[in-house]
Amino acid sequence: MPLKVGDQAPPFSLVDSTKKLRTLSEFLGSKTVILFYPGAFTGVCSKEMCTMRDSITTFGSLNAKVVAISVDAPSSNKAFSEQNKLNFPLLSDFTRYVSIQYAGLYMDFSGIPGYTAAKRSVFVLDKDGVVRYAWISENPGAEPDYEEVKNAVAA
């Protein structure tokens, strides 16, 4: 069951692009924007992550942290982050456990039988980890409404 507004966000422990273990609890205490993206180095994911990078000052002024999660390996996330000069952590959900808990998976992603990827989604959590905004796309090519995300953080 995907998360919806009012749900408590499930805790997680995932490694970042430097293989450092990161937990949901370290982001709480302020608002948190969690982005799930299907795959590093794909066109829509690159555009989404760069848009969020360019908005990080706005999110910071709203006392919000940003973190992105994909099923990619830490090394792929590291190269993706470096190539796009991303200024927020990218976490690796290589077991897909967290992606399933939050938004679900695209099955047979990119037409490859058996390959799964995190559904493109955005969750805005309040300082206590309660979901205040949820957007989950069935279409991996769709981008979130960035103004809607900013408004949810500002609310």
Side-chain angles (χ1 to χ4, degrees):
M1 241 354 234
L3 286 183
K4 59 189 179 313
V5 173
D7 288 346
Q8 183 69 43
F12 60 74
S13 296
L14 298 171
V15 293
D16 67 14
S17 58
T18 67
K19 301 181 189 170
K20 177 184 173 192
L21 191 64
R22 308 293 294 266
T23 63
L24 175 61
S25 61
E26 79 179 79
F27 297 103
L28 299 181
S30 64
K31 296 174 187 173
T32 305
V33 179
I34 302 177
L35 311 162
F36 284 84
Y37 64 101
F41 301 105
T42 59
V44 177
C45 293
S46 295
K47 186 175 179 199
E48 179 185 10
M49 295 302 116
C50 289
T51 299
M52 295 305 286
R53 173 201 66 205
D54 296 345
S55 301
I56 203 75
T57 302
T58 300
F59 288 114
S61 70
L62 296 169
N63 192 32
K65 297 174 184 169
V66 175
V67 60
I69 300 171
S70 77
V71 300
D72 294 311
S75 55
S76 293
N77 280 338
K78 182 175 183 175
F80 182 57
S81 180
E82 288 172 352
Q83 176 180 306
N84 292 291
K85 297 176 177 48
L86 301 180
N87 48 13
F88 50 88
L90 302 184
L91 308 184
S92 179
D93 181 27
F94 54 86
T95 67
R96 292 156 169 76
Y97 181 73
V98 176
S99 298
I100 290 168
Q101 287 186 302
Y102 277 70
L105 300 170
Y106 295 122
M107 307 308 288
D108 300 331
F109 183 65
S110 208
I112 303 169
Y115 181 55
T116 58
K119 281 191 177 178
R120 187 177 314 283
S121 52
V122 179
F123 298 92
V124 175
L125 310 181
D126 67 16
K127 64 181 183 59
D128 299 314
V130 176
V131 177
R132 297 300 175 198
Y133 172 86
W135 176 82
I136 301 169
S137 180
E138 294 303 320
N139 174 2
E143 290 179 70
D145 182 327
Y146 301 109
E147 283 306 309
E148 192 174 273
V149 174
K150 287 177 191 174
N151 291 339
V153 172

